[in-house]
Amino acid sequence: MIRTIDVLSYNNKLRIVPPMWKSGFAAALVFLAYLTHPVVQLALFGWMLVWTIGYAKIPLRYYGAFLGASCLFFIGSLPVLLLEIEPAGSAQQMTHGIIVGAFSHMTLYLNWNGLQLAMKLFVRILACLSATLFLILTTPMTELFQVMRKLRVPHLVLELMLITYRFLFLLADTAHNIYVAQRARGGQQGFRGRLQDTAVLVVRLFGKTMQRYQGLANGMISRGFTEDIRMAPYEAKPMPGRYKLEMYGGVVLLIAAECWLRWRGMR
């Protein structure tokens, strides 16, 4: 997945847009998505689909895969939001939900208030994810590092992030090589075999990855590494007028819609 994100971020149609603009745009939209009504959040989500799939030309199948994988964490929290346990015959479960099951003197029921809360949270998560995915899928990580350096993020933090980012590729390559070797020897067959081979993969993965990382560190030292990773400076690019106008106009319309909804709610 990380390689796919890296390829898409380098080959999308919005590479001409300066990373500082895209970062500020995404941050403003995440802020709006967190504070606005669900209707405005849905409009923001649809607008981000236009930017990411329409303008940047990110394939729909990849966008849907990344969005769905992110939503799995929310799905895992749904039982806590939707289900409650009350003593049998409680009046609360009759007025605020429907019975799902009963055991002993307790009753498991679906809470309608929890369902409404889950729906609101899901819409908010979609809006925030759409703004975040827009930035991730259209901006290479190297340019994000340049933006963070421009914003005066501590140099030590940037170095740790850069090393970790490089380490992820080493980890993915090593895991893939071990997996291919296991399949070539007849491994990864059956449920029990997959569990055993995966356990072996995890054990060997750490050792082999550390060997490759040590080789990388030795290579950097042999080339004169002085414990200071220098990054390319941020280079300002001209912002296309069409995108600048649409960014400003869209944000203003979203804010105006939210103000109108709040004013209507106070009447």
Side-chain angles (χ1 to χ4, degrees):
M1 181 177 290
I2 186 174
R3 288 190 178 277
T4 303
I5 294 175
D6 202 55
V7 171
L8 293 175
S9 65
Y10 275 99
N11 296 286
N12 67 89
K13 299 297 183 180
L14 289 180
R15 277 296 307 277
I16 60 175
V17 179
M20 185 69 75
W21 278 87
K22 287 186 285 189
S23 300
F25 182 49
L29 292 181
V30 170
F31 182 75
L32 285 176
Y34 188 77
L35 297 177
T36 53
H37 285 75
V39 176
V40 180
Q41 293 168 355
L42 286 176
L44 190 153
F45 173 70
W47 190 35
M48 284 294 95
L49 286 180
V50 174
W51 274 88
T52 309
I53 299 176
Y55 297 163
K57 301 300 180 183
I58 301 297
L60 181 60
R61 65 180 184 276
Y62 291 129
Y63 187 85
F66 296 140
L67 186 65
S70 302
C71 289
L72 288 177
F73 295 96
F74 171 73
I75 294 175
S77 65
L78 283 180
V80 180
L81 295 173
L82 300 180
L83 301 178
E84 292 192 13
I85 299 178
E86 293 287 343
S90 174
Q92 181 179 359
Q93 67 189 24
M94 302 300 296
T95 58
H96 295 90
I98 58 175
I99 297 176
V100 176
F103 53 94
S104 183
H105 298 291
M106 308 300 292
T107 302
L108 179 68
Y109 72 98
L110 177 66
N111 191 338
W112 291 117
N113 294 330
L115 181 60
Q116 294 176 0
L117 177 61
M119 294 175 63
K120 291 181 180 179
L121 288 176
F122 181 66
V123 174
R124 179 180 296 174
I125 288 171
L126 283 181
C128 293
L129 282 176
S130 64
T132 306
L133 286 176
F134 163 76
L135 180 63
I136 293 174
L137 297 178
T138 61
T139 311
M141 197 64 194
T142 54
E143 294 184 356
L144 290 178
F145 287 144
Q146 293 175 354
V147 171
M148 287 185 282
R149 183 182 180 185
K150 185 72 173 179
L151 297 176
R152 300 185 181 278
V153 175
H155 191 70
L156 178 60
V157 176
L158 290 179
E159 287 185 354
L160 292 175
M161 293 176 66
L162 181 60
I163 294 173
T164 303
Y165 180 67
R166 172 59 180 165
F167 190 76
L168 291 177
F169 288 94
L170 293 177
L171 194 68
D173 287 340
T174 306
H176 177 72
N177 293 336
I178 296 176
Y179 178 79
V180 171
Q182 288 180 339
R183 291 294 301 270
R185 292 171 175 80
Q188 298 290 342
Q189 301 294 329
F191 179 74
R192 185 172 182 179
R194 284 180 180 274
L195 290 179
Q196 293 177 348
D197 291 335
T198 301
V200 174
L201 186 150
V202 172
V203 172
R204 294 180 177 176
L205 179 62
F206 179 76
K208 289 185 175 294
T209 303
M210 291 305 299
Q211 291 177 2
R212 293 191 61 181
Y213 180 74
Q214 187 63 43
L216 175 64
N218 293 335
M220 294 174 63
I221 294 174
S222 65
R223 289 170 174 81
F225 176 62
T226 59
E227 298 184 357
D228 185 17
I229 301 178
R230 298 186 178 275
M231 301 180 185
Y234 177 80
E235 296 182 1
K237 302 177 182 178
M239 178 65 180
R242 171 204 167 186
Y243 292 139
K244 182 188 297 187
L245 180 62
E246 188 167 344
M247 283 181 179
Y248 283 139
V251 171
V252 170
L253 287 177
L254 290 174
I255 295 176
E258 177 64 19
C259 292
W260 181 78
L261 289 174
R262 290 179 181 269
W263 175 77
R264 185 180 179 183
M266 291 187 299
R267 294 181 60 184

